Amino acid sequence: MSALIAVAESGSVTRAADILHLVQPAVSRQIRLLEDELGTALFERTRSGMVLTSDGRVLLEHARRALGELERARAEIRPRSGELQGLVTVGLLPSFADPLSEALVARVARDHPTVQLRLLVGYAGHVAEWLDTADVDLAVLYDVRPSASVDVRPLLDEALWVVGPPDAGLSLEHPVGLAEVVDRLRVLPSRPHAMRNMLERTAARKRCELRVAVETNSMSVQRRLAAAGVGLTVLPGTAVTNALARGRVTAAPLTDPEMRRRLVLAMPGTRKLSVAARGVADLLVDEMARSVASGAWPSATWLGG
């Protein structure tokens, strides 16, 4: 299966052989044996490279999951020395991925140097899907309810901020309601982003209308457009602290109860979490608690105990 994945990702038998440290005929033979066993072509051989067929894409998805399960099994086998090892994949959201990932990587390298860490960053819907399909071992999400398939641990509650250029008249000391700024709120996250849904629900309850000039699926673009004066936007505090400190934007917390989000540690409820993953989860929670306690995670209240 490793040959299939390498060829699919590189688009070339030659490059896959280099990745796997094998000779090219050995990789070609593995692919041919798979195709013979399944009775179907897995790749189309084109001038531009090896392209997966529809059957090949199905097998690739299962192959990745199988290798992921193998890595998790290895991680569950703690060596006699007691040292954690293995691959742990963590799903994070863009609004806090940069500062949190840096702290987490440093802690894992210090406390569990034989653990290999993989960080996947995506919007909440994508990260939740990765958790469901076992592409990540654990994730930090918001507004997730416990269920048979997902165990959740509340971590923190935070107010969202309205953000604008330096001359927008916004201040952290003077929170505002959505109705006060809705006429100037022109830069919004695009659907189906959960924050867009929160904005629309709150606006509907207050019977005010959102007038969108620009929508984007990038928080960094939201921040830049707001700083440039295109219009106000709404972002988590962690996404704008650096820009705020440099005077590039101003911001004010939103007072509406609906414009808050609760972050949780989400873990699979239908499969066992490896020893290494549990160790990484503990470090992740600890780093988030440190961030809130130090004030680096603004307008957040720690719930994790």
Side-chain angles (χ1 to χ4, degrees):
M1 290 299 181
S2 57
L4 173 79
I5 294 172
V7 173
E9 292 180 346
S10 67
S12 163
V13 172
T14 302
R15 286 195 291 271
D18 290 339
I19 293 169
L20 298 172
H21 304 292
L22 296 173
V23 295
Q24 182 177 335
V27 175
S28 296
R29 183 173 181 274
Q30 289 186 37
I31 297 298
R32 187 169 59 254
L33 287 174
L34 273 175
E35 291 180 325
D36 290 344
E37 179 183 350
L38 296 172
T40 185
L42 301 175
F43 290 93
E44 293 179 8
R45 282 74 172 173
T46 70
R47 291 183 179 179
S48 58
M50 302 282 281
V51 179
L52 283 168
T53 63
S54 58
D55 289 336
R57 288 193 294 272
V58 171
L59 184 60
L60 176 65
E61 181 179 349
H62 287 280
R64 283 174 169 161
R65 291 183 185 177
L67 288 180
E69 289 300 320
L70 178 60
E71 290 294 339
R72 291 184 183 93
R74 287 173 176 162
E76 286 184 26
I77 303 172
R78 183 194 291 251
R80 292 178 183 176
S81 65
E83 190 175 60
L84 301 188
Q85 65 176 2
L87 174 67
V88 178
T89 306
V90 181
L92 300 173
L93 303 180
S95 56
F96 54 78
D98 287 349
L100 185 57
S101 60
E102 185 176 349
L104 179 61
V105 167
R107 281 293 300 278
V108 171
R110 187 190 76 188
D111 295 359
H112 306 305
T114 55
V115 168
Q116 179 187 348
L117 195 61
R118 177 189 292 155
L119 304 178
L120 297 184
V121 180
Y123 287 111
H126 296 141
V127 176
E129 183 178 336
W130 295 337
L131 186 68
D132 185 56
T133 57
D135 290 317
V136 300
D137 297 299
L138 54 109
V140 178
L141 293 166
Y142 62 94
D143 297 331
V144 176
R145 296 179 180 179
S147 67
S149 61
V150 181
D151 291 330
V152 301
R153 174 181 172 183
L155 296 177
L156 63 85
D157 182 84
E158 67 174 335
L160 297 175
W161 290 0
V162 58
V163 180
D167 60 355
L170 301 172
S171 170
L172 295 181
E173 289 73 34
H174 297 92
V176 297
L178 181 64
E180 299 175 58
V181 295
V182 69
D183 289 340
R184 302 160 61 197
L185 197 64
R186 308 302 301 279
V187 182
L188 298 183
S190 55
R191 298 185 184 93
H193 195 291
M195 200 178 304
R196 175 67 175 269
N197 295 335
M198 294 169 66
L199 282 164
E200 291 179 342
R201 286 196 303 267
T202 305
R205 188 181 66 82
K206 292 182 173 294
R207 297 181 181 178
C208 54
E209 183 181 355
L210 294 172
R211 296 183 176 88
V212 184
V214 181
E215 57 181 42
T216 174
N217 65 351
S218 167
M219 285 191 174
S220 62
V221 172
Q222 278 182 255
R223 184 174 59 246
R224 290 182 182 182
L225 293 177
V230 173
L232 302 186
T233 193
V234 172
L235 288 165
T238 49
V240 295
T241 47
N242 288 338
L244 194 65
R246 295 172 183 174
R248 295 177 180 173
V249 299
T250 54
L254 284 165
T255 58
D256 311 89
E258 302 94 333
M259 296 309 299
R260 301 185 67 88
R261 65 177 188 172
R262 175 166 293 190
L263 294 183
V264 302
L265 177 65
M267 297 166 288
T270 55
R271 65 181 186 273
K272 183 180 178 182
L273 205 61
S274 72
V275 174
R278 290 197 296 271
V280 170
D282 290 342
L283 296 184
L284 175 64
V285 172
D286 188 51
E287 286 303 322
M288 291 182 68
R290 287 171 181 263
S291 183
V292 173
S294 69
W297 203 303
S299 67
T301 302
W302 184 247
L303 306 172

